[in-house]
Amino acid sequence: MNTIRKREELGPNVTRYVIDAPLVATHRKPGQFVIVRVSDHGERIPLTIADADPELGTISLIVQSVGKTTREMAMLRSGDAIHDVVGPLGRPTHLQQFGTVLCVGGGIGTAPLYPIAKAMKEAHNHVITILGARTRDLLILEDDMRRVSDELIVTTDDGSYGTKGLVTDAIRALVGGGTHIDQAVVIGPPLMMKFTSLLTKELGIPTMASLNPIMIDGTGMCGGCRVTVGGEMKFACVDGPEFDAHKVDWDSMIRRLGTYRTEEKTAAERCDHECRIGLGTRGPEWILPTD
Amino acid sequence: MDTADRLKLPPVVMPEQDPTERIHNVREVPFGFTPAMALQEAQRCLHCVNQPCVDGCPVGVRIPDFIRTIESGDYIAGIGIIKQTNLLPAVCGRVCPQEDQCQKSCTVGKTHRDPGQAVQIGQLERFLADWERENHTAVIPQIPPASGKRVAVIGSGPAGLTVAGDLIKLGHAVTVFEALHMPGGVLGYGIPEFRLPKEIVYAEVSYLTRLGVDFQYNTVIGKSLTVDEVRNDYDAVFIGSGAGLPNFLGIPGESLLGVYSANEYLTRANLMHAYDENSDTPILRGKSVAVLGGGNVAMDSARTALRLGALGVTVIYRRSEEEMPARKEEYHHAVQEGVEFSFLQNPLEILGNPDGWVTGLTLQKMQLGEPDASGRRRPLPIPGQTGSVSADVVIVAIGNNPNPLIPAALPSLQMNRHGGIVTNEETMETSVPGVFAGGDIVLGAATVILAMGQGRKAARAIHAWLTKTADLERN
Ligand SMILES: Cc1cc2nc3c(=O)[nH]c(=O)nc-3n(C[C@H](O)[C@H](O)[C@H](O)COP(=O)(O)OP(=O)(O)OC[C@H]3O[C@@H](n4cnc5c(N)ncnc54)[C@H](O)[C@@H]3O)c2cc1C
Ligand SMILES: Cc1cc2nc3c(=O)[nH]c(=O)nc-3n(C[C@H](O)[C@H](O)[C@H](O)COP(=O)(O)OP(=O)(O)OC[C@H]3O[C@@H](n4cnc5c(N)ncnc54)[C@H](O)[C@@H]3O)c2cc1C
Ligand code: SF4
Ligand code: SF4
Ligand code: FES
């Protein structure tokens, strides 16, 4: 059981949690994630470690409510507990002094991007960040990102804030204006990552992307998180989650994310109903070996 | 009763759930013997002086001795005899490949020239273990005074549980680290409920907890704690991290939607209870399911698919029925339940529709050639003979390799070509002093009883190691 110490709404459907997880807090490195199970009948879902305080033994997670599990998590309050938290999982980000590093975050991808941008800055890079959101209300972590970036550019699809357009437009403008970029990091919705990486490939900028396939165990046991990178099968939970964006088979990855679309829809509808009438679904009682 | 009378007794037929009924639930298939049935089966044992059955058991359970207690009705003594060498009889009685081990060389089977006539040792073992569990008679043994030594066990599969049980009884403090949120390793996430009810695994774990074993779940060694931290904090380390690395075929189409590794499919169904409509973990309930492989894992996947509502399940295996490594019992159960088998077929490609969903497979017809290194006849393609089958879910069940997580986190461990940890066969000690290993991480995907056997050897050696280091510290 991992107690929620603090809970804060960052925007519509986006919540930051500070959670007790002492071992994770002292062992995690930027780029790594945890797998949580909200309740004893819950699903295991991966979430990036957005930040950690090794002294207090806490980690922070920033979660967007998209389906049943993340919505159930959103109903928890400070003092409540998350049933299971395991990690840190995955390989840490490859950090070095590249020179100028471009960090591109889309939507909730800004959450996993934050610890990486921060670490890139600490590794003495010049950090330029581009944050993309559909509209102003959906932009998260702007202040945190500004603090760890040398330059910050915001784009919104509808022009309600920053420059109107997509992150790819901002990248083109930046490079067109003569900025040299040594390394790019992109995290966001898979389609955004795909188009960003197509562009940086064209522009000759080495790029890494953090992939978010469906996972279960996170230890390389199930193979459910497999992705194709450079023609080879990789398990994102142990070989990743970061990969050379130019080698990722994006179409296959995006398709696989849709495996349970029908099931997820039913679950979310059920959750909607039951959450509203205050029931919550209960699974069978399972005997937990804690005598 | 004399030998001639005993030999006349027919094997007791194990009562089972009807196949048409059981494919709609996940409850255990065999019901187990009643005391009367157990007595009758026990009377079939001849109490051979040379005890060939004991030689066939990898951990040398004193078989005729425990069978005798069933005849005399002293079940508590019987369970004590079994537990001297086998910590998990309720598990082994159910899942050991007895037909290849203890029962293979049973004199009764030999006399009748029919291995099917052998004394049903596994079922009797299960009977005693179930009786003990159901009557709560498990005795908490007298534990010697604390040795002051601490042992870390990595992984809560059968190997790790055995080491933990043996060492706690010797007075050492034991912590078991488990990556998942539940214990048991493959017993928990892999072997289905209808073959091994999870309640049994959890009861064994509760027993160890009562003895004082500390279980730390959600802790991945090499990630949540480094191997070096564990080595510094504990006087000895046992690695029982298993063979949880699923193989794929490396053929086109394995990324299609609806293609699973058996590990993922079974984990969703067992560990995450996806067969229960109330569970949050989804699973694709295919109507026509193709399972690739021919071992226990393939049988478990196929039978699970039926229980998830498949109308047709076909196991596709590249050799013939004879070479199939699955236990006979599992094969028969699968056939009874309506699983179809397509032998001498090798998958060439998994086919999909434009949306990326799997639609079927292209298969190459095979024939058997000369025996290969494993002694089984090698399957060879028959040129020009290919065909196809349709499927909306494909499960790849072609085996697992040792989990590379720990070896990667402890580079000084000596490994073999197959990714297994190299150990001293007698002591299970690895190339790193004070670090022992056993089970599937050493053997590659093997069996529960072999994992437990290695656990037992390791526990003995760890105890010796701890005693030696304690002596050194004292002098
Ligand atoms: C390594 C990794 C790190 C992640 N970090 C974060 C994070 O820091 N914050 C955060 O909010 N989310 C993160 N995710 C995504 C998060 O795991 C999913 O949003 C979550 O599993 C959805 O569960 P659900 O039951 O609420 O929704 P579901 O009912 O499972 O899905 C609802 C909708 O979300 C989509 N979806 C499902 N799984 C994913 C996924 N893995 N990635 C993207 N979309 C998905 C579905 O297609 C569907 O449209 C991460 C994923 C990975 C693999
Ligand atoms: C589907 C299936 C059916 C089978 N059927 C049979 C059968 O009928 N009869 C039979 O005898 N055998 C059967 N087997 C084989 C048998 O289950 C295994 O040989 C046995 O479980 C191996 O035991 P183990 O203790 O070595 O490892 P495992 O049972 O694999 O347990 C290893 C444990 O270690 C944990 N772990 C791994 N890495 C770490 C880490 N870094 N930190 C912490 N924990 C970690 C894992 O999560 C796991 O819980 C079957 C196997 C499968 C997959
Ligand atoms: S442990 Fe397995 S092989 Fe040994 S007697 Fe029991 S069932 Fe037979
Ligand atoms: S070989 Fe068969 S008959 Fe002989 S002691 Fe063993 S179980 Fe009994
Ligand atoms: S999540 Fe199971 S192998 Fe990666």
Side-chain angles (χ1 to χ4, degrees):
Chain A
M1 289 284 194
N2 303 66
T3 307
I4 301 176
R5 290 290 159 210
K6 226 166 84 190
R7 175 188 190 284
E8 180 191 355
E9 316 252 331
L10 295 185
N13 293 324
V14 180
T15 316
R16 186 200 324 250
Y17 305 86
V18 178
I19 299 170
D20 280 341
L23 286 186
V24 184
T26 46
H27 290 82
R28 74 102 206 192
K29 294 204 175 72
Q32 291 187 295
F33 62 95
V34 289
I35 287 187
V36 311
R37 224 165 55 108
V38 175
S39 67
D40 70 348
H41 58 95
E43 181 178 18
R44 294 170 62 99
I45 64 160
L47 297 167
T48 306
I49 305 162
D51 216 337
D53 187 331
E55 251 114 75
L56 291 179
T58 57
I59 56 169
S60 42
L61 305 176
I62 297 174
V63 187
Q64 183 175 32
S65 309
V66 291
K68 171 133 200 299
T69 307
T70 45
R71 277 189 228 175
E72 247 173 31
M73 191 160 167
M75 298 199 312
L76 299 177
R77 299 286 165 250
S78 275
D80 288 349
I82 293 182
H83 208 282
D84 302 287
V85 175
V86 54
L89 300 169
R91 294 190 185 189
T93 303
H94 173 66
L95 290 169
Q96 72 177 65
Q97 193 179 351
F98 293 101
T100 298
V101 175
L102 175 67
C103 293
V104 188
I108 187 75
T110 306
L113 185 64
Y114 169 71
I116 298 172
K118 188 173 156 195
M120 286 293 184
K121 181 75 198 143
E122 282 160 8
H124 307 289
N125 288 292
H126 181 81
V127 176
I128 304 175
T129 298
I130 301 176
L131 299 183
R134 254 187 298 129
T135 181
R136 177 174 195 156
D137 288 348
L138 296 178
L139 187 68
I140 56 166
L141 298 178
E142 186 189 352
D143 292 340
D144 299 74
M145 277 309 226
R146 195 178 299 282
R147 234 178 301 123
V148 298
S149 312
D150 295 281
E151 293 172 49
L152 182 90
I153 300 161
V154 175
T155 67
T156 49
D157 296 9
D158 63 359
S160 52
Y161 187 61
T163 30
K164 183 174 157 70
L166 303 171
V167 290
T168 39
D169 300 328
I171 300 173
R172 263 191 213 286
L174 201 62
V175 173
T179 306
H180 175 81
I181 298 161
D182 297 287
Q183 175 72 43
V185 183
V186 53
I187 312 184
L191 263 183
M192 169 265 191
M193 291 198 275
K194 173 182 168 178
F195 287 109
T196 304
S197 84
L198 285 177
L199 173 64
T200 58
K201 189 168 189 175
E202 179 192 316
L203 298 172
I205 305 169
T207 303
M208 55 199 187
S210 182
L211 304 190
N212 56 352
I214 295 169
M215 294 186 178
I216 308 182
D217 57 300
T219 63
M221 180 272 281
C222 75
C225 63
R226 62 192 185 277
V227 288
T228 310
V229 182
E232 275 179 59
M233 185 190 289
K234 298 279 181 194
F235 291 177
C237 68
V238 283
D239 301 325
E242 277 163 32
F243 293 100
D244 181 341
H246 297 161
K247 292 191 177 153
V248 171
D249 179 344
W250 290 106
D251 293 337
S252 154
M253 182 187 120
I254 293 168
R255 271 206 308 254
R256 283 182 62 80
L257 272 176
T259 305
Y260 300 105
R261 190 143 294 150
T262 321
E263 290 79 1
E264 285 159 357
K265 206 162 148 259
T266 326
E269 279 161 7
R270 200 172 58 181
C271 168
D272 252 7
H273 175 68
E274 281 162 355
C275 298
R276 236 176 311 126
I277 59 174
L279 275 177
T281 43
R282 296 248 2 126
E285 290 301 329
W286 289 90
I287 319 114
L288 265 168
T290 43
D291 237 31
Chain B
M1 215 185 279
D2 65 18
T3 302
D5 289 335
R6 287 178 185 263
L7 276 172
K8 277 188 211 125
L9 294 171
V12 177
V13 178
M14 172 60 89
E16 287 178 349
Q17 261 201 82
D18 187 73
T20 55
E21 199 174 299
R22 72 191 189 222
I23 59 167
H24 301 296
N25 66 59
V26 293
R27 289 192 302 275
E28 195 174 7
V29 170
F31 292 124
F33 283 156
T34 61
M37 291 172 175
L39 173 62
Q40 199 185 331
E41 185 67 26
Q43 285 170 340
R44 300 183 62 238
C45 172
L46 310 177
H47 304 288
C48 314
V49 185
N50 57 344
Q51 308 190 337
C53 50
V54 178
D55 294 335
C57 169
V59 296
V61 169
R62 286 164 49 206
I63 295 163
D65 296 351
F66 92 70
I67 293 183
R68 207 185 297 269
T69 67
I70 299 178
E71 273 194 76
S72 69
D74 190 357
Y75 298 162
I76 293 188
I79 196 75
I81 293 170
I82 298 175
K83 284 201 169 170
Q84 282 173 3
T85 46
N86 177 353
L87 187 74
L88 303 173
V91 174
C92 294
R94 287 174 165 82
V95 307
C96 259
Q98 291 109 8
E99 63 281 5
D100 287 327
Q101 297 179 351
C102 52
Q103 289 173 201
K104 187 178 184 178
S105 33
C106 170
T107 314
V108 179
K110 290 252 150 90
T111 310
H112 291 291
R113 290 171 205 275
D114 173 6
Q117 296 277 321
V119 175
Q120 297 173 67
I121 300 167
Q123 302 293 11
L124 291 174
E125 189 171 301
R126 166 187 168 168
F127 168 76
L128 282 181
D130 287 355
W131 179 85
E132 184 196 43
R133 192 179 62 258
E134 281 153 18
N135 293 282
H136 308 286
T137 51
V139 270
I140 301 288
Q142 193 81 40
I143 291 183
S147 68
K149 295 287 177 187
R150 290 153 50 80
V151 181
V153 172
I154 304 173
S156 65
L161 293 179
T162 304
V163 173
D166 283 359
L167 290 175
I168 198 90
K169 288 183 201 149
L170 291 166
H172 307 299
V174 182
T175 303
V176 178
F177 295 104
E178 170 54 53
L180 294 171
H181 60 269
M182 291 296 254
V186 173
L187 308 182
Y189 73 72
I191 303 182
E193 179 77 15
F194 56 82
R195 205 147 74 73
L196 177 65
K198 300 309 145 209
E199 178 206 336
I200 292 171
V201 181
Y202 301 153
E204 296 297 347
V205 172
S206 309
Y207 175 71
L208 293 179
T209 316
R210 281 208 296 277
L211 296 188
V213 176
D214 172 30
F215 283 86
Q216 296 290 329
Y217 300 105
N218 297 313
T219 312
V220 185
I221 303 305
K223 297 279 181 189
S224 314
L225 283 169
T226 66
V227 181
D228 283 336
E229 282 173 308
V230 175
R231 288 178 62 207
N232 288 337
D233 276 2
Y234 293 85
D235 300 293
V237 178
F238 175 79
I239 305 172
S241 54
L245 177 71
N247 291 332
F248 283 88
L249 289 151
I251 59 174
E254 282 183 303
S255 301
L256 289 166
L257 281 71
V259 180
Y260 283 109
S261 78
N263 280 5
E264 179 181 358
Y265 193 72
L266 293 170
T267 300
R268 284 181 180 273
N270 296 323
L271 182 76
M272 307 310 295
H273 310 140
Y275 54 74
D276 183 327
E277 306 270 350
N278 282 324
S279 164
D280 290 349
T281 301
I283 195 163
L284 296 173
R285 293 170 179 255
K287 289 288 160 242
S288 71
V289 177
V291 179
L292 316 181
N296 285 326
V297 184
M299 299 306 120
D300 285 344
S301 305
R303 298 174 67 199
T304 298
L306 282 179
R307 283 157 176 80
L308 287 170
L311 301 176
V313 178
T314 308
V315 171
I316 296 165
Y317 181 52
R318 62 195 181 116
R319 306 185 200 236
S320 74
E321 183 176 352
E322 238 136 85
E323 286 80 22
M324 216 170 47
R327 291 187 58 196
K328 290 279 166 301
E329 185 186 336
E330 301 319 322
Y331 174 47
H332 289 314
H333 276 148
V335 171
Q336 281 175 350
E337 289 169 7
V339 173
E340 283 173 42
F341 286 79
S342 178
F343 293 111
L344 291 164
Q345 298 282 356
N346 197 28
L348 292 180
E349 182 178 1
I350 305 175
L351 308 167
N353 66 20
D355 294 332
W357 287 91
V358 65
T359 55
L361 294 129
T362 308
L363 301 173
Q364 164 73 57
K365 182 111 188 78
M366 311 294 278
Q367 61 191 355
L368 291 178
E370 294 300 305
D372 64 11
S374 72
R376 293 179 299 175
R377 292 175 64 194
R378 189 194 303 274
L380 298 167
I382 307 175
Q385 290 202 32
T386 57
S388 65
V389 289
S390 59
D392 56 2
V393 163
V394 171
I395 303 168
V396 183
I398 54 161
N400 290 303
N401 276 322
N403 188 316
L405 234 155
I406 300 278
L410 186 58
S412 51
L413 267 186
Q414 201 187 328
M415 307 300 295
N416 65 28
R417 275 187 302 135
H418 311 290
I421 298 177
V422 175
T423 54
N424 174 319
E425 267 179 48
E426 290 310 309
T427 63
M428 306 315 298
E429 191 167 6
T430 67
S431 56
V432 181
V435 177
F436 299 75
D440 280 4
I441 186 70
V442 169
L443 294 163
T447 61
V448 173
I449 192 69
L450 288 174
M452 289 178 51
Q454 291 204 327
R456 171 127 302 170
K457 274 196 206 171
R460 219 177 290 140
I462 291 171
H463 179 59
W465 159 272
L466 294 174
T467 317
K468 192 177 76 193
T469 49
D471 287 347
L472 285 178
E473 281 159 20
R474 231 173 282 132
N475 294 334

